[in-house]
Amino acid sequence: MKLFDSLFEKRTRQLAQCSSRRGLLKSLGGLLVGGAAIPLLPVARAAAAEGAARPLEEGDPNSCDYWRYCAVDGFLCGCCGGSMNTCPPGTEMSPITWIGTCHNPVDGRHYVISYNDCCGKSSCGACLCVRDEGDRPPYRPDKANDISWCLGTRSAAYHCTTAVLVGVAFEE
């Protein structure tokens, strides 16, 4: 048992000589603050839409008058080889988005919609849709639709825009 005690004592003393309490507290504090900040990042929230409640849908999703496009500004991906939720082949969905809150006339509820640009090819040129409900100036980029959102992708070339359902909007 003496061998175990002396080995443990030796390792503990070596650790104490190489570190400090302040260093340990600094590292633990950084982990706590950094870990708490991760859910606040504005990137890739559209991926959470997979588990969202599905609203009743009717109408033509390739028409600019479709309810999900209340704050869109761009070419609809449904007309460019993709869908309202997916990018066309050969393009990449931007992880950085703007959002809108749109009223679904079928069920009377409001839904949060994430508008993701699909990047990697030149502009589609089909089904241009510009609806600016709730649009804000560029100093509120999360609510502005006039900014090129092809950031965080391999190519900055804009192709079209999707309208991904994020969830039900809660009224206060």
Side-chain angles (χ1 to χ4, degrees):
M1 194 63 151
K2 255 186 165 185
L3 178 64
F4 179 73
D5 287 341
S6 72
L7 181 65
F8 187 74
E9 180 183 2
K10 184 178 177 183
R11 295 292 179 203
T12 304
R13 288 185 186 277
Q14 285 176 345
L15 179 64
Q17 289 173 353
C18 298
S19 62
S20 68
R21 286 176 288 189
R22 286 183 183 166
L24 177 67
L25 290 174
K26 179 184 136 193
S27 298
L28 286 175
L31 285 172
L32 288 173
V33 171
I38 288 175
L40 301 176
L41 295 175
V43 180
R45 290 199 180 148
E50 298 303 320
R54 298 284 173 220
L56 298 172
E57 309 248 8
E58 70 180 39
D60 181 11
N62 292 333
S63 168
C64 191
D65 294 330
Y66 192 63
W67 71 272
R68 282 193 190 201
Y69 303 134
C70 71
V72 75
D73 185 354
F75 301 107
L76 304 179
C77 284
C79 298
C80 303
S83 72
M84 65 183 161
N85 295 320
T86 60
C87 290
T91 62
E92 175 184 12
M93 187 177 286
S94 174
I96 303 172
T97 70
W98 76 96
I99 59 169
T101 304
C102 299
H103 176 75
N104 183 351
V106 177
D107 63 8
R109 299 172 85 177
H110 288 82
Y111 293 89
V112 178
I113 306 295
S114 172
Y115 297 101
N116 298 67
D117 286 345
C118 295
C119 313
K121 290 183 176 179
S122 61
S123 292
C124 168
C127 299
L128 177 63
C129 186
V130 180
R131 293 177 60 189
D132 295 326
E133 296 173 29
D135 187 25
R136 299 288 186 261
Y139 58 81
R140 285 289 312 272
D142 60 325
K143 300 280 188 179
N145 63 8
D146 290 330
I147 297 173
S148 175
W149 291 94
C150 285
L151 305 168
T153 58
R154 284 174 273 168
S155 172
Y158 167 78
H159 185 66
C160 62
T161 303
T162 61
V164 180
L165 178 74
V166 175
V168 178
F170 295 104
E171 296 185 26
E172 294 181 17

